[in-house]
Structures are given as structure tokens and as C-alpha cells.
Amino acid sequence: DVQLQASGGGLVQPGGSLRLSCAASGFTFGSAEMSWFRQAPGKGPGWISWINSGGGSTAYADAVKGRFTFSRDNTKNTVYLQMNDLTPEDTAVYYCYARDRGTDYWGKGTQVTVSS
């Protein structure tokens, strides 16, 4: 039974920081590439970041590059998204995603609201 759920969201002021986590189980986490997606109100989901299975390579969407950092700890089966210098445009539900040997897994999201 695959478990994949983001946590750590909440309300933060513009310019603030937040760290999201996603703990995984039920698949071979150490061989899976992971991504973060987000979905703003009234919008479709959009990809924001990717990390390879070993954690040595990352990629970011232009909207978050330089502000967000994707990392993983394979000993804990957990990925993290450090978000800095947040703006209201970052308000969205954030989802973690895994791809392991051609199989896709979607987690439950966590709400991030950036507002003064």
C-alpha cells in the first residue's frame, strides 16, 4: 500500500519561509525520482521541481528557481522542499509525486497560503 503525502504547509507572510516534507512508503523509494507539483486556486497543477533517485541532481521551474531547494534523505524515505522568499503567487496546494520504474504515485497535498 503506497503512502505519499506532503506536510508542513500553512500560512506565511510574504518574504517568509516554509519547509515541506513528504514521507513515502510502499515502493522502492531509493530508486524513485521525485517531483513537487502545485495547484493554485482555479488553476491546473503545475510542475515546480524534480530530483533524481540519489539526490545528486535537481531541476526547478523558472517561477521557483533560486528560492526553492529540493532535497531528499533516502535513509528516511523522505523528500523536502525548502521555500524561501515566498510571495502570494506561491499560494497553492503542494503535492509530491514519485516515479518508480515506470509507475507513477501521487500524494495528498498540503496547503500553502502566503498572505499578509
Side-chain angles (χ1 to χ4, degrees):
D1 187 16
V2 171
Q3 299 288 325
L4 191 66
Q5 182 171 359
S7 62
L11 176 64
V12 63
Q13 293 184 335
S17 297
L18 206 60
R19 190 177 78 156
L20 306 183
S21 300
C22 184
S25 62
F27 64 96
T28 309
F29 182 83
S31 69
E33 57 187 299
M34 304 289 294
S35 290
W36 287 96
F37 290 79
R38 66 184 183 185
Q39 186 169 14
K43 306 289 186 179
W47 172 85
I48 56 171
S49 192
W50 167 89
I51 193 166
N52 74 332
S53 60
S57 297
T58 55
Y60 301 91
D62 288 344
V64 306
K65 189 174 184 179
R67 299 187 296 119
F68 290 12
T69 303
F70 200 174
S71 62
R72 68 191 296 162
D73 185 344
N74 285 355
T75 70
K76 298 180 178 180
N77 286 2
T78 301
V79 299
Y80 306 94
L81 185 67
Q82 178 66 46
M83 306 185 294
N84 297 327
D85 196 21
L86 288 162
T87 77
E89 288 68 39
D90 296 315
T91 295
V93 178
Y94 285 69
Y95 299 90
C96 57
Y97 160 92
R99 183 174 180 85
D100 181 22
R101 300 179 185 274
T103 302
D104 299 332
Y105 303 104
W106 287 93
K108 297 180 177 66
T110 186
Q111 176 72 50
V112 172
T113 302
V114 184
S115 176
S116 59

